Amino acid sequence: QVVAKDSFGASSTLTSTVIVSSNSTSLADSIAQVQNTLSSLGDYDPLEKLKVITVLNADINQLEDRLTADISENACPICSGNGICWTNITRCVCDDGWTLADCSLPQDEYDAIINFRLESLQAIQNISQVISDTTGQEMLLTALNVCSQSEVFNNNQTLSLVQGILEDNMDILSNSTNLNDFEAQAVADILSNMMSYASLYDCAGNT
């Protein structure tokens, strides 16, 4: 479930029966399920499509919480058996094909999640071009907020898409842009998400 509030404070709950933590035999199967669901939304009403995309990406964020819940502050020297800790380095250096701070996630599964995020954002970008009313704008911002919340399952490419949609749809770089209270808070939350990611993973400042 995702709870969205409009500028008047009224809330609505977006619910989907798609659950990432399914009874699939592997994480890869679960990822495939959400990808297939996203692919099946081609002819949906844009706002209904936006609701489903928001819920699917909220599920991905919950997946991150589950995957990282047991990672200690210092996964060295075990590194899940898929990496090593060099002398004077207090973090795992993963073997090829593994990722996360404790080297516990196969790289191909991580890549599949990032691809799903990219496909979601590309769909949101297309929807943003046909949305003009306040309700649609606020749903769009809710979707972008959810997509940008994950520090692990984002990269420079996904967050550059988020930034581009904000700039193109909300014109946030213009001094003449006026945002209502909901929009201003949502934009602030999205920018905070991006800064949180950049502080951890983007030392070069490319985000």
Side-chain angles (χ1 to χ4, degrees):
Q1 289 187 341
V2 174
V3 178
K5 291 186 178 181
D6 61 22
S7 55
F8 299 102
S11 62
S12 59
T13 302
L14 315 178
T15 305
S16 169
T17 57
V18 179
I19 305 174
V20 173
S21 56
S22 64
N23 293 325
S24 301
T25 57
S26 70
L27 173 60
D29 289 341
S30 295
I31 298 168
Q33 286 186 9
V34 293
Q35 288 175 321
N36 290 338
T37 301
L38 180 61
S39 299
S40 70
L41 300 178
D43 296 328
Y44 268 44
D45 171 81
L47 294 186
E48 291 300 315
K49 188 173 183 177
L50 201 53
K51 289 179 183 180
V52 176
I53 291 172
T54 301
V55 172
L56 290 176
N57 279 274
D59 284 342
I60 290 294
N61 293 347
Q62 292 175 5
L63 173 62
E64 175 187 342
D65 292 340
R66 290 194 295 274
L67 288 174
T68 59
D70 296 329
I71 298 178
S72 64
E73 291 186 7
N74 185 1
C76 289
I78 299 175
C79 301
S80 304
N82 302 312
I84 59 173
C85 294
W86 296 103
T87 303
N88 298 325
I89 295 180
T90 58
R91 62 181 179 83
C92 293
V93 177
C94 298
D95 297 336
D96 287 345
W98 295 92
T99 189
L100 293 190
D102 64 347
C103 307
S104 61
L105 183 67
Q107 184 69 47
D108 58 350
E109 294 182 358
Y110 172 85
D111 292 342
I113 295 172
I114 290 295
N115 287 336
F116 167 77
R117 188 79 83 188
L118 283 170
E119 291 173 9
S120 296
L121 287 165
Q122 288 161 354
I124 293 171
Q125 187 174 47
N126 291 335
I127 294 170
S128 72
Q129 297 171 6
V130 299
I131 287 177
S132 58
D133 65 312
T134 300
T135 298
Q137 294 279 16
E138 293 180 353
M139 289 176 63
L140 177 72
L141 287 171
T142 298
L144 291 177
N145 190 12
V146 168
C147 286
S148 61
Q149 282 173 2
S150 171
E151 295 174 353
V152 173
F153 295 133
N154 270 302
N155 60 16
N156 288 357
Q157 188 177 5
T158 61
L159 293 181
S160 291
L161 266 174
V162 171
Q163 179 180 345
I165 296 168
L166 277 181
E167 291 176 357
D168 293 342
N169 193 258
M170 304 300 299
D171 199 20
I172 61 171
L173 297 181
S174 173
N175 292 330
S176 62
T177 298
N178 292 315
L179 303 177
N180 64 37
D181 289 344
F182 177 92
E183 292 169 340
Q185 184 60 58
V187 169
D189 289 343
I190 293 166
L191 294 178
S192 176
N193 294 339
M194 295 174 68
M195 290 297 296
S196 180
Y197 164 85
S199 68
L200 292 174
Y201 299 106
D202 186 22
C203 297
N206 294 319
T207 306

